[in-house]
Amino acid sequence: MRESSRRTKRKIRWSKLYTFSCFRPPNADPDPIKSLIGRPGFSRVVFCNKPHLHRMKPHKYPTNYVSTTKYNVVTFLPRSLFEQFRRVANLYFLLAAVLSLTSLSPFTPPSLIIPLVFVVGISMLKEAVEDWHRFLQDIQMFDEATCQSVRARTSNLNEELGQVSIILSDKTGTLTCNQMEFRKCSIAGVSYGGDLNEVDLAASHRMNSDMVACSPNLKNLKIPDAHREYSIKGFNFRDDRLMDGRWTCNSNVYDITMFFRVMALCHTGIPIEDDQADKLKFEAESPEEVAFLITSQELGFQFCKRTQSVMVLKELDPDLGGIVKREYKLLNLLEFSSSRKRMSVIVSTEDGQIFLLCKGADSIIFERLADNGRSYQEATSLHLSCYAEDGFRTLAFAYRRVERADYEHWNSIFMKAKTTVGPERDELLESASEMIEKDMILLGVAAVEDKLQKGIWLLTGDKKETAINIGFACSLLRQDMRQFHLSSVMDSGCSNQSEVILVAKKALVSQIKSFSQEINEEHNKHMPFALVVDGQALEIGLRSDVKDQFLQLAVECASVICCRVSPKQKALITRLVKEFTGKTTLAIGDGANDVGMIQEADIGVGISGLEGMQAVMASDFSLPQFRFLERLLMVHGHWCYNRISKMILYFIYKNIVFGLTLFFYEFYTSFSGQVLYDDWYMTAFNVLLTSLPVISLGVLEQDVPSDVCHQFPALYKQGQRGICFSWKRIIGWILNGAVASLIIFLSTIHALSTVAFLGKGKVADIAHLGTITYTCVIWTVNCQIALIISHFTWIQHLFIWGSILLWYIFLLAYGALPPSYSHTGFQVLTEAIGGAPSFWIITLLVVVASLLPYFIYMVLQRTFYPLDDHVIQEMKHCKKDIFDKPMWLREQQNSKRTTQVGFSARVDVKIHHLKEAIQQRRESIYNPTQRCPSPVAFWSLLSLLGKLVQTQGTAHELDHPPT
Amino acid sequence: MAARGETSSAGGNDAAQDPFPSAQKMSKRPKSKQLGFQFTQQELPACKPILTPGWVITAFILVGVVFIPIGLASLLASKRVVEIVDRYDEDCIPQSFKNKTLSYIQDDKTNKTCTRSLVVPKQMKSPIYVYYQLSNFYQNHRRYVKSRSDEQLRSKDGERKTNTCEPEAFAGDKGPIVPCGLIAWSLFNDTYKFSVNDTVLDVNKNNIAWDSDRKHKFGSDVYPKNFQSGGLIGGATLDSSIPLSEQEDLIVWMRTAALPTFRKLYGKIEVDLEVNKTITVTIQNNYNTYDFGGKKHLVLSTASWIGGKNDFLGVAYLAVGGICLFLAIAFILVYVLVPRPLGDPSYLSWNRNPAGR
């Protein structure tokens, strides 16, 4: 909630005002923090086990209660009233209403006060209901895994959803589902698990099939998954060499056993009892660990119990050939941290041997191997690069046998470090763990797939290499893109800090200049560029004197990746991009570090996934999964934009038609301010007689069905280009309203002027002219909305035709009141105009004549310059999507060509990768000077080809499913 | 290139994309196909009419076919109405007062009688409505319209409710003026007498006001009081022995006209007038329109089903109908000469401008 942050800022300033701190001189204390310690706001005195002391004044602190609602029962009325009248328009009408109480105003008080009360009341009701519960439920955006649906946490931003031009996204967790799957492993130099992931499948399929009508989509491609006998969350591994205990027949049983032991013991997870008797579920700090635990369970190493010092495994013992329960004493746990990038446990087995089991990032583990532990390193690192190419996360596993004496010695050092209090504790611990985590023996690597969420466009990342790789993985970067790398190397040797920055800045500016020049010199206007910026360069780039150049370069690139970005920088980038481009920005993230970015963007979207609620609390919309963003934008964004722009334009039109008739009448009253309509007609116009159709337009209008919104992403460009709400359209609608009101007014006064208007020779007075004109206005505006709406359900019909009918009912009821209430409206329909044929034929004439200009315009536009949605509506109307399927699919593809996003683009990248890889490998085989040894290259080429053949087979099966 | 993209975007069947549905979780998901469900999911059955050439041409032809007969009928009815309009405000000023109309009209002693003769152009069937028409008279001025007291007119109890009537609210200390306000004060006071060949034509002044006014808005127990007793005399005086509900001239006048040129019903002549007969009208020219340059007309008119003589409706109907028929023909030609097949993909923006705007 951006508003809340703004409010906080204001609150801070207000508090300065009423604490008179603004009169105090700025703190001149040389060491301000020290002198403030002990004073309120800087320190808290807390009494342990004496809660009664906290109830008394000097120590009675505010609670930590966090309110997520804007109002409570007491503050609702004053605060929401303030919110309402803070808006200029409402304040204006409040003043007008106050004026109407004096004799200055031509209107009677109710005609001004009632609409105001109505509008303010409705807005307040909306605020209250929104505050109460904010729900927007689309069943297709329902996440069954977490039972969460999309929540709209504010309703003031819906139309902007249709105009988003720039998406800023956080990488970790946001792009991925945070659901890890164990996919492959390499144990003792042999790679296991050759299953294909979705991208592989699609890519190979795509390479076979030409652009033909048949379009097996992902659902079909997933069929092989469904055919499998088992589907276990977190485990997507299949290799007959390892499954079902067959690994026991392997020659290298010892290493495999150790590998699984590391997997089963080196973690922080705990098992949870499941309904099923023999399989357990696990909970751990990171989803990778869960995946490992499940995998080890599947392969025969079930981790079944953890106590303070003991871990219990049910192992499949190859020697005994059965399941054995073994206890391992947990001696030490060396925790994982982002700087260490590894984790170790020290356990002692039942027979007293002590092992150090370690898992961690490959580079870290490889550094710490013993000389005799490197026997598999070469093969393993080859597998490692293969896995990384496939976009898997890898972890290397290693172990070390520790002699008891060594261990005792080390443990004393370690315990000492552990019990140290003070800043040097971390350092001591670090050096202690360094001492033992060495001379390890490499076992292998495991690859987990961090399942990518679907449909991703832009992101900000962390480490440069990782970010680039992920950029490729989610097709943010494409092979044909020119990449620019903005980086800055700070010379830390230089003593003067400002000098360093100055030098770095100069270097950066020259980089930016050369890149910009390159872009300008590029002749192909549609050549995509990508910009990769690292954290330090970003820090300099965001300084005020460079930022314009930096942003200029950034907005000219199709995608920008920022690495090593702090939360503050995220927010800063968001603000700068928003201000610099003036386009609608959307920020999406799931963690607490994205809160700043989410608050800063026009639209903040939080993922209510597994990483806590901070992002959701700060967001405007919350999604359970990233992939729902596509539906949120493409369907709901497009619809909302379409609806709200239509609604606003119609609203302008409607009130111009109504208001201008009043204005034109002033020409005939010597501008005295006489009002043509009865006060109650004026009141009823926007409140009762024309409001419901507008609501139905704003809620239910669909220019194209939701599936078409998905199929033709180019429709979303209407919002980005703002064609539904351009000045051209606004002026067009104003003109349409002016013309319609002129036609209405002139027709009625000429039809009714001077002569009698009914057979009995009676002439019309103000009340008759007003009522007839008003009838024409009601008919015209309600028929106009019927021309705008392209999606009629019974609700629209009821509201539109009901509104017209309601006017006659209103007129009858009003006329039936005694004349002291109805004044000039007394029996106006029954006695005077209802019986006059001219009344009815004037209405028919005026409605047709005033709608004619718009109708002609619409016909001409549809005939000669149809918009995309018009053509698609026609295709749907003629059922071309069924009869002419190739065309329908081809157009979908064409519409995506310019806006290539998400999965299809990813498949393209994959194909490119595969083809390139084959090419390279082939070259390397025939080129003996290549660094890479050719047998290995030949092997990997074979495996690649095998992969292709395999996927082609699957794809073939998909096309011709066995009957 | 034909495939795949829609997989991520189809969004259709979530069950297929989510591999872990469990029965307990499924139950939380709304799945009934009821009205509320269809409404919240925006899947209500809907018709999506679009403008096909057939509809366009049909609509235009329909409007033309309906409008032209109505136009002809209205025009015919209007033409059948016989109307005599005579402007008398200038001619009824004696030659000697031509340049000082104000002193003539404001002087009580001058002779205001004026005789006009009108020739009947066509046979006029009874009832013949007699109107007076005033021009440049802003009866719809806001201050003027407000200057009346409905409570006072309605019943005796509201006699003193004259606060909206200033400055014509109280006659000094004699009490409230009934009827108060500027509208009543400026009551039209010219009178007409008609004769044909020296036989007097009776003017029936009953039922010239709306029934609702007589029965509900003007009280039968309210009698004029202190009316036109001040220094400035606006217009007609009222007989204080007749209740307001029977003073139909006043009731007609109190219905304020919408436009600055207006007619008000004076009475009805309930005999037929033959063609070329000469009607002699004796006018008492009392009402002062000279001050503000207003015109006064005497109007005799019959009525048809659409009212008085007014060609506007007929002409407008014929015009709109004609335009629509013309457009129908034009669009038929357009669709024949430059046909655009419905749903032609070449009109899609990405095909027209492949680079993407």
Side-chain angles (χ1 to χ4, degrees), chain B residues 168-203:
Chain B
E168 286 296 317
F170 281 88
D173 42 7
K174 281 185 278 180
I177 300 172
V178 182
C180 72
L182 286 172
I183 308 178
W185 176 79
S186 59
L187 178 61
F188 186 73
N189 61 352
D190 284 7
T191 57
Y192 312 114
K193 288 195 173 66
F194 300 90
S195 59
V196 176
N197 300 339
D198 296 334
T199 45
V200 174
L201 292 175
D202 282 329
V203 177

Side-chain angles (χ1 to χ4, degrees), chain A residues 139 144 206 217-218 627 643 665 668 672 699 710 750-751 756 761 765 792 831 841 862 868 874 891 893, chain B residues 1 4 7 9 17 29-30 41-42 46-47 131 140 142 211-212 255 258 308 310 317 340 343 349 351:
Chain A
I139 195 161
E144 281 172 347
R206 176 85 155 264
N217 51 28
L218 190 63
R627 70 187 162 101
R643 284 168 185 168
Y665 184 61
Y668 291 86
S672 65
V699 174
H710 273 305
H750 279 103
D765 70 347
F792 281 95
E831 184 190 30
I841 64 170
R862 274 187 172 264
D868 294 343
E874 287 169 4
E891 290 312 323
Q893 210 55 41
Chain B
M1 291 291 275
R4 272 83 317 157
T7 44
S9 49
Q17 294 181 3
R29 186 174 168 154
Q41 295 304 313
Q42 308 230 329
C47 73
Y131 302 93
N140 56 12
R142 182 166 66 97
D211 281 349
S212 61
R255 279 258 178 182
N310 187 355
Y317 260 95
R340 178 175 81 83
S349 64
N351 291 336

